[in-house]
Amino acid sequence: MDVMGERAFDLVIRNGAVVDGSGGPAYRADVGVKDGRIVAVGPDLPSGVEEIDAAGRLVTPGFVDIHTHYDGQATWDERMQPSSWHGVTTAVMGNCGVGFAPCRPEDHDRLVRLMEGVEDIPFPVLTEGLPWNWETFPDYLDSLARRRFDIDIAAQLPHAALRVYVMGERGAQREPATPEDIAQMAEIARAAVEAGALGFSTSRTLNHRDSEGQPTPTLTAGEDELAGIAQGLKAAGKGVLQFVSDFIDPAEEFAMFRRLVETSGRPLSFSLAQSPRGPESYRLLLGALEQANDDGLPMKAQVCGRPVGVLFGLELTLNPFSQHETYRSIASLSLAERAAKLAEPGFRTRLLGEELDPRGPFAGSALRAWDNMFLMSEQPDYEPTADKTVKAIAERRGVTPDEVALEHMLSNGGRGMLYHPFLNYADGSLDPSFAMLSHRDTVPGLSDGGAHVGMICDGSFPTSNLTHWTRDRTRGPKLALEEVVRMQTRDTAHAVGLFDRGQIAVGLRADLNVIDYDGLTLHAPSVAYDLPSGGRRLIQRADGYVATVVAGQITYRDGEPTGALPGRLVRGAQAAPTAMAAE
C-alpha cells in the first residue's frame, strides 16, 4: 500500500532467496526498504520507488569486514575498493596497531614509514595522499566524518601511533613505558572510544617492521602498558581490543590476553592462522579460546578461509629474481622494457645462471620456495595440489623451476603472477582453515583490504569464502551457504559491537547484496595505477554481484558503481533497534 500518497518503500528487492544472516535456511521473500532501514520482509510486498528483480538470486546482508587497513585510503578516496567489489558494506580499519592518529606534525614521516613497511603502502602514495588535517584521534574521526564513501567505515585506535605520540623517540625505540606514560595512553584511549573509535589494536609480531627494517614500536610493550590502555576502554565502558601476535609461547601469551579481558571486561579478538613453524599450535589456541568463552570471557579469533599468501611478479614489489644482480640492472626500466630484455636469450641465460644474492632478506626462503609456489591463473585456485607447484611443473617439463617461473611471469605482457601461500597451508590443504572457520568462537577476518598493495590481495576473502567453502571445494568438507553468510555478516558485526546491521530483519540497516550464486566468479588479481602520485596497487574483481545496497541506496550494479555514496563513518558501537533488542 501507499503511505500518504507515496510508495510504501524506497526500494524493494523482490522474489529472491533470502539468506538472512541468522544461519537459518534460505526462504523466498521480498525485502522492503525505507529511509535506509529494512521495514518489511515477506511475500508480495507493495511496490517501491525502485525495485530489483532478485528471482533466481540470493539476497544476503552486506558483508562486514572487521580487519582492513583503509586508514589512509579513506582520507583521499570515496571508494573502498577492492572490498566494495566483494559485497562488503562495512569495513573496520586501524587493525594491527598501525594507523595515522594521534600524530604530531614532526612524526608524520615516522608513521608513514611504519605503514609503508608493515602494510606495503609506498611512501610517495601516503605523503601525497594524506591530508594530515588532524593531530588527535578525535580530530582524525572528525576528518573522516566530513567525507562520503561507498561503504560504512569504522576506525580503531592504533597502538603504534599512540605510543609514539605519548613517548616520542622512546616509544619508537620500544623502551618500557613509565606509569606516567601508561596513564596518558589510557586517557587518550578513553577519549578516543568516547569520540567514536570502535576499539584499540596492537601488534606483537616481528613480521611488522617499518620500511627501514625496524620492528613496530609495540612489539615488546609490557602487560602493564596493555592493561593500562584496556582500563582506559573500561573507563569509557565501550570498545574492543584487537591483537596480532607471534605466539612465541602460546600458553603464556594467551594467559595474558585472558587477564586483559578479565580485568577490563572488554571483548578481545586476535589473529589466528596455521604457521609452518608450528603447524598444530592453532589447535592449542582454539582449545584455550574455547575454555575462555566457557568461563564467560568474550574472546574471538579472527581467521581466514584461504591461505595467507604473497604474490610475486615483474609488476609487483618482489619476484624470484629481485635479488639477482643481473635483474637489478634492469629493475628501473618500464615493465615493457624489462619484459623485452628478459626475453633476450643471452640476458635470460645470464640471469638463470646467476646465484641469488645472499644479502637479501628473503634469500633461500620465500623467493625460491618452488615446492610451495604456484602459477596464478585467471580463475585462482586457492587450494592447489602438490602436482601444480612450480617444482612439480619443472620436473614434468625437464627444465629448472627458475625457467618455469620466468616463463609464467613473462606471460600476458609481463603480468603473470606467482602465488606463495605461507600461512594456513603447511599441510598442503585448507583443512586447518576448515577447522578454524567452523569453530564456534571464531569469525572471518584478516583480509587486510587496503594494504599490502604490491604483494597481497586478500580483500576478496568474502567472495572466496562463498565460492570455495559452499560451492566449489573438492578436497574435503564444505560449509553450508547459510553458515558462511552468517559468519561474515551477523557474526563479524556483533564481534565489534555493531548490532544494527549484519542481518535481514525489520529495523536493521538496509545493507544488502543481491548475488548470482551460480555465476559468482573470482578473477585473478591485477595491477592498477590509481593511487596518489600514480602509485601501484593490486586489485581483484568478481562477477556475480548483481547489486550491493548500503543504507538503502544501490551503490553497485553488476560490479560497477552507481555513483551513490551513502557510506559514512560509524562512530563506536551501535545498538540494535529497541524492538529487536527486546526479542
Side-chain angles (χ1 to χ4, degrees):
M1 62 181 180
D2 290 356
V3 179
M4 294 188 299
E6 296 182 357
R7 292 186 186 276
F9 306 109
D10 299 327
L11 172 68
V12 175
I13 300 175
R14 196 170 296 284
N15 205 29
V18 175
V19 182
D20 65 13
S22 70
Y27 55 92
R28 189 77 52 193
D30 301 340
V31 179
V33 173
K34 186 78 172 176
D35 297 329
R37 297 276 169 180
I38 298 168
V39 294
V41 181
D44 303 319
L45 294 182
S47 61
V49 175
E50 192 166 11
E51 299 212 358
I52 297 174
D53 180 4
R57 308 289 191 247
L58 299 180
V59 181
T60 76
F63 304 140
V64 178
D65 188 340
I66 62 173
H67 196 112
T68 75
H69 293 279
Y70 289 114
D71 310 69
Q73 188 172 331
T75 70
W76 68 69
D77 202 349
E78 298 173 327
R79 305 192 183 283
M80 299 303 101
Q81 297 166 347
S83 293
S84 51
W85 283 325
H86 296 278
V88 173
T89 54
T90 303
V92 179
M93 59 194 192
N95 288 281
C96 302
V98 290
F100 301 108
C103 185
R104 303 183 196 281
E106 61 267 26
D107 290 320
H108 287 176
D109 280 5
R110 188 193 300 277
L111 291 194
V112 166
R113 293 197 185 281
L114 181 62
M115 188 68 86
E116 180 184 37
V118 172
E119 304 300 343
D120 189 31
I121 304 174
F123 188 91
V125 168
L126 294 171
T127 52
E128 180 174 315
L130 291 168
W132 288 117
N133 55 351
W134 63 82
E135 178 172 323
T136 68
F137 199 84
D139 290 343
Y140 175 67
L141 294 181
D142 289 345
S143 173
L144 293 173
R146 293 190 289 268
R147 297 185 55 76
R148 302 291 180 259
F149 309 101
D150 58 357
I151 66 174
D152 272 7
I153 60 170
Q156 297 173 99
L157 175 68
H159 192 188
L162 172 64
R163 198 167 207 268
V164 171
Y165 188 77
V166 170
M167 298 175 62
E169 187 66 19
R170 292 185 298 115
Q173 296 303 318
R174 299 172 299 285
E175 293 184 20
T178 67
E180 294 75 18
D181 295 329
I182 294 170
Q184 190 176 349
M185 283 190 266
E187 175 56 25
I188 292 172
R190 181 198 61 76
V193 295
E194 287 184 346
L198 207 55
F200 162 83
S201 72
T202 191
S203 169
R204 300 169 62 77
T205 173
L206 276 168
N207 291 326
H208 290 166
R209 298 174 180 269
D210 67 20
S211 58
E212 297 174 348
Q214 292 300 308
T216 182
T218 64
L219 176 68
T220 55
E223 184 174 347
D224 58 342
E225 180 178 338
L226 296 169
I229 295 168
Q231 288 299 309
L233 272 62
K234 181 179 182 179
K238 60 184 75 172
V240 298
L241 302 166
Q242 185 269 324
F243 282 56
V244 57
S245 172
D246 284 331
F247 287 107
I248 301 300
D249 184 332
E252 180 180 333
E253 188 81 340
F254 191 86
M256 182 186 74
F257 290 0
R258 276 193 61 127
R259 290 191 294 271
L260 294 174
V261 177
E262 287 169 342
T263 57
S264 72
R266 303 318 307 158
L268 181 149
S269 70
F270 61 93
S271 301
L272 181 62
Q274 183 203 41
S275 169
R277 294 191 298 271
E280 296 300 312
S281 291
Y282 77 93
R283 297 186 186 276
L284 300 175
L285 287 164
L286 286 177
L289 178 65
E290 191 168 324
Q291 184 61 57
N293 279 277
D294 286 346
D295 294 339
L297 299 177
M299 300 177 72
K300 295 284 186 184
Q302 292 189 30
V303 302
C304 52
R306 72 187 198 210
V308 177
V310 293
L311 294 166
F312 299 136
L314 301 178
E315 205 174 11
L316 304 180
T317 301
L318 291 171
N319 69 73
F321 305 100
S322 294
Q323 290 160 11
H324 287 250
E325 288 298 335
T326 298
Y327 183 79
R328 286 173 175 165
S329 71
I330 63 169
S332 62
L333 300 178
S334 70
L335 176 64
E337 290 169 331
R338 276 179 287 141
K341 198 70 179 173
L342 289 165
E344 293 178 6
F347 188 89
R348 189 172 181 149
T349 298
R350 188 161 71 253
L351 176 68
L352 294 173
E354 188 174 83
E355 292 295 323
L356 185 72
D357 185 345
R359 295 169 296 177
F362 292 93
S365 57
L367 292 180
R368 318 298 286 180
W370 305 125
D371 59 347
N372 191 32
M373 193 180 296
F374 302 87
L375 311 183
M376 176 59 70
S377 59
E378 170 50 31
Q379 292 193 359
D381 180 359
Y382 289 109
E383 194 172 13
T385 51
D387 63 311
K388 296 180 180 177
T389 64
V390 171
K391 180 181 179 181
I393 292 170
E395 289 175 348
R396 286 198 298 272
R397 294 183 183 175
V399 297
T400 66
D402 304 61
E403 291 175 276
V404 172
L406 182 57
E407 177 187 327
H408 183 71
M409 288 192 298
L410 285 171
S411 65
N412 190 27
R415 295 178 175 82
M417 297 181 193
L418 304 166
Y419 177 61
H420 170 56
F422 65 90
L423 293 174
N424 284 358
Y425 220 60
D427 305 324
S429 83
L430 284 177
D431 289 343
S433 281
F434 178 83
M436 287 183 270
L437 276 175
S438 56
H439 193 276
R440 68 171 203 196
D441 298 318
T442 68
V443 290
L446 314 186
S447 86
D448 280 352
H452 304 296
V453 296
M455 292 184 69
I456 296 174
C457 193
D458 287 344
S460 57
F461 275 174
T463 301
S464 62
N465 284 341
L466 279 182
T467 55
H468 187 76
W469 289 107
T470 74
R471 192 189 68 191
D472 297 341
R473 193 179 192 221
T474 61
R475 300 185 58 199
K478 298 179 186 177
L479 295 165
L481 171 65
E482 293 86 352
E483 187 177 8
V484 171
V485 169
R486 186 206 73 227
M487 288 176 182
Q488 55 194 33
T489 55
R490 188 187 71 179
D491 289 0
T492 46
H494 288 188
V496 293
L498 300 178
F499 295 96
D500 65 336
R501 66 197 67 203
Q503 200 167 334
I504 297 177
V506 172
L508 292 186
R509 275 177 58 93
D511 296 343
L512 303 158
N513 284 310
V514 179
I515 301 172
D516 175 4
Y517 180 63
D518 292 337
L520 190 60
T521 304
L522 186 61
H523 293 292
S526 61
V527 174
Y529 293 85
D530 58 358
L531 293 178
S533 75
R536 168 210 62 195
R537 66 173 178 146
L538 280 159
I539 59 173
Q540 191 168 19
R541 302 292 298 262
D543 293 333
Y545 288 98
V546 176
T548 296
V549 177
V550 174
Q553 296 186 43
I554 302 171
T555 54
Y556 286 83
R557 284 186 181 274
D558 296 318
E560 296 303 320
T562 62
L565 295 170
R568 301 292 185 267
L569 171 71
V570 180
R571 288 190 185 263
Q574 302 293 310
T578 304
M580 291 196 67
E583 292 180 0

